[in-house]
Amino acid sequence: MSEEVGRDKAYGSLFDFRGDYPLQSEKVDLISKALIHAWDKIKTAKKQAENPFFHSKYADLSAVVDACKGALISSDLVPVQSTTMIDGKLILVTTIYHSSGQWIRGYLAVNPVKNDPQAIGSAITYARRYALLSALCLAADDDDDGRDAGKFAKISGPKPVASDADLKRWAETIRDATQFVELKSIAD
């Protein structure tokens, strides 16, 4: 099978190569069940590493692995990440394997800012973190130790509230609309 993979027609080619690059094993029934089981147990990756340039916190690779490792192991799953060169581009390959032999896979082009070992290593680590988050449909959240727990309660002033009549009119408009332009009245 020779088909173009990863081409974004709207933005050009960030990852444009040809070849046989499968995204999953022939069967995925067992790995799908295992992923559902694991996903229910995966923790949120905590943003504990400091980014001095943006004065913010982020979940580093270790935090992402810690968030999912126990759930994956208990579901007979393991992530494997490796790099390869495809058409002169450095590609991170993330594969989630199940003990049955079934697997799912994703490919991510790695674009270091410089061509030296430090920049390449940094870009690979960054890609590994985001590829693993993406493969497992995870999000990292801020660990503010309760600092912002009451933040939104301090907002005062009138809150916009739709009347029951407005809600009924909007629901009827949505139900009866045959063209998109008919929905514009809801936004007005």
Side-chain angles (χ1 to χ4, degrees):
M1 169 169 111
S2 180
E3 67 181 72
E4 197 168 336
V5 176
R7 185 171 184 93
D8 186 327
K9 292 181 174 114
Y11 296 103
S13 174
L14 297 176
F15 182 39
D16 181 13
F17 63 93
R18 294 180 182 276
D20 187 5
Y21 302 99
L23 296 175
Q24 65 188 42
S25 54
E26 187 174 321
K27 293 183 180 181
V28 293
D29 57 324
L30 299 176
I31 192 171
S32 297
K33 288 177 187 174
L35 284 166
I36 291 167
H37 181 260
W39 206 71
D40 189 45
K41 296 179 178 183
I42 293 175
K43 302 174 194 166
T44 301
K46 298 293 182 189
K47 293 182 178 181
Q48 297 174 332
E50 295 284 337
N51 183 330
F53 299 106
F54 294 107
H55 306 292
S56 62
K57 290 185 174 186
Y58 67 96
D60 62 11
L61 180 59
S62 177
V64 173
V65 170
D66 286 347
C68 64
K69 185 177 182 179
L72 293 176
I73 289 171
S74 71
S75 300
D76 295 328
L77 298 165
V78 65
V80 175
Q81 294 181 302
S82 60
T83 57
T84 190
M85 295 296 290
I86 300 175
D87 290 344
K89 295 181 186 226
L90 180 61
I91 305 297
L92 175 70
V93 181
T94 300
T95 307
I96 310 292
Y97 288 101
H98 183 251
S99 60
S100 66
Q102 295 179 1
W103 51 270
I104 59 169
R105 177 175 294 146
Y107 302 88
L108 179 63
V110 179
N111 298 303
V113 293
K114 295 189 294 187
N115 192 21
D116 64 42
Q118 177 65 32
I120 294 169
S122 179
I124 290 170
T125 300
Y126 187 88
R128 287 183 61 207
R129 176 166 43 108
Y130 280 101
L132 188 56
L133 284 167
S134 178
L136 297 172
C137 195
L138 300 180
D141 97 353
D142 286 318
D143 181 8
D144 64 10
D145 198 27
R147 181 185 72 235
D148 292 335
K151 188 175 188 177
F152 297 105
K154 296 177 185 176
I155 297 173
S156 60
K159 296 178 184 173
V161 178
S163 69
D164 288 341
D166 283 338
L167 292 174
K168 184 177 180 181
R169 182 175 50 84
W170 295 340
E172 289 171 357
T173 301
I174 292 169
R175 183 192 66 221
D176 298 337
T178 58
Q179 295 182 9
F180 182 73
V181 293
E182 293 174 295
L183 299 176
K184 187 176 183 300
S185 67
I186 294 173
D188 294 337

